[in-house]
Amino acid sequence: MYAVTLRAQTKDGRMDELKEFIKSKALPSLEVPGIISIGFLNPELNTNLGMAFLTNKESAEVFAEERTKNIMQVADVFASFPKVVEGEITLGKIYKERSANDNEEAFVRVVFAKVDNSEAPTNFVKEQIFPIYEEADGLRGAGFFVADGEAVSWNIWDSEEVANAVVPKFNEQLSSAEGIFLEDPKPYSGYLYAGRNFVDINKT
């Protein structure tokens, strides 16, 4: 499976315009062959974060073409060109089945961290973070990959309350991760304002 993340900063006062465009125009146009699900959140003032899951890199390439077309239609709302990080998912698990729908609701946390290799962060997440997931309540799915010198980790929850319940455990493990990340990981979190499961999501 392949994951695509997109981080964008909007100009002051333009976020609502971007959200409306994504909900009314972008989402329908991004339904390309091989897409599994997609979601968008507004984790910070003027910050938009999108994440999509696709069956393979070939589907992601078609998705990229449509994504670029959409970005160009609303280019004026951005303070800078959106940053894309994408790659094959190396660690991932679905904990709760979800039906295909046009309005997926969830609380999402995505964490980015600069790294100089993929082995150490992958092993850290596999050995220290995924065991936390296994014991968590309200977790729908989680995953991880490394691409272009950046590690990307995400978890999808039923609510903010259940997501925050495991934060102390995450922080405890991160305190012992010296040397794995080149700088402190940067978390983004929030409820989806637009989301869609194009197919049924089954447990893995």
Side-chain angles (χ1 to χ4, degrees):
M1 191 182 297
Y2 204 86
V4 179
T5 66
L6 185 147
R7 285 167 285 174
Q9 294 296 122
T10 64
K11 297 174 182 176
D12 289 342
R14 305 296 295 275
M15 181 59 72
D16 287 345
E17 182 181 345
L18 177 61
K19 287 182 178 180
E20 181 56 33
F21 174 83
I22 287 172
K23 289 187 282 188
S24 63
K25 296 183 179 180
L27 271 179
S29 71
L30 293 171
E31 187 175 359
V32 301
I35 191 166
I36 297 168
S37 65
I38 191 170
F40 296 89
L41 57 148
N42 175 200
E44 299 174 349
L45 181 66
N46 297 337
T47 299
N48 188 72
L49 174 61
M51 191 161 194
F53 301 99
L54 302 106
T55 54
N56 51 46
K57 185 176 181 179
E58 290 72 26
S59 296
E61 290 173 350
V62 178
F63 176 81
E65 294 176 3
E66 294 302 322
R67 180 187 70 227
T68 300
K69 293 177 185 177
N70 279 286
I71 289 173
M72 298 313 296
Q73 289 184 59
V74 287
D76 186 58
V77 310
F78 297 115
S80 59
F81 197 80
K83 178 177 175 59
V84 176
V85 181
E86 59 182 271
E88 293 281 352
I89 297 173
T90 51
L91 299 171
K93 187 170 182 177
I94 303 298
Y95 295 90
K96 284 190 173 184
E97 295 186 350
R98 301 289 293 172
S99 299
N101 65 75
D102 293 334
N103 187 30
E104 179 69 353
E105 297 180 350
F107 185 84
V108 179
R109 179 180 290 112
V110 187
V111 182
F112 297 87
K114 297 292 185 182
V115 296
D116 59 10
N117 69 84
S118 61
E119 183 177 2
T122 300
N123 288 339
F124 171 78
V125 171
K126 180 180 180 179
E127 297 169 5
Q128 306 299 331
I129 301 301
F130 265 76
I132 298 173
Y133 293 152
E134 294 294 331
E135 299 176 353
D137 294 323
L139 178 61
R140 298 182 186 177
F144 175 85
F145 71 93
V146 177
D148 301 324
E150 199 157 18
V152 184
S153 178
W154 66 91
N155 31 86
I156 304 170
W157 305 85
D158 289 339
S159 69
E160 182 175 7
E161 180 181 8
V162 292
N164 288 342
V166 299
V167 169
K169 295 180 180 179
F170 288 158
N171 290 340
E172 181 180 356
Q173 294 303 324
L174 286 169
S175 68
S176 63
E178 184 177 354
I180 294 176
F181 306 108
L182 300 180
E183 57 188 35
D184 289 342
K186 170 65 176 175
Y188 296 87
S189 61
Y191 282 98
L192 297 180
Y193 68 79
R196 185 174 181 185
N197 291 334
F198 295 91
V199 298
D200 292 341
I201 309 298
N202 299 313
K203 287 184 179 179
T204 55

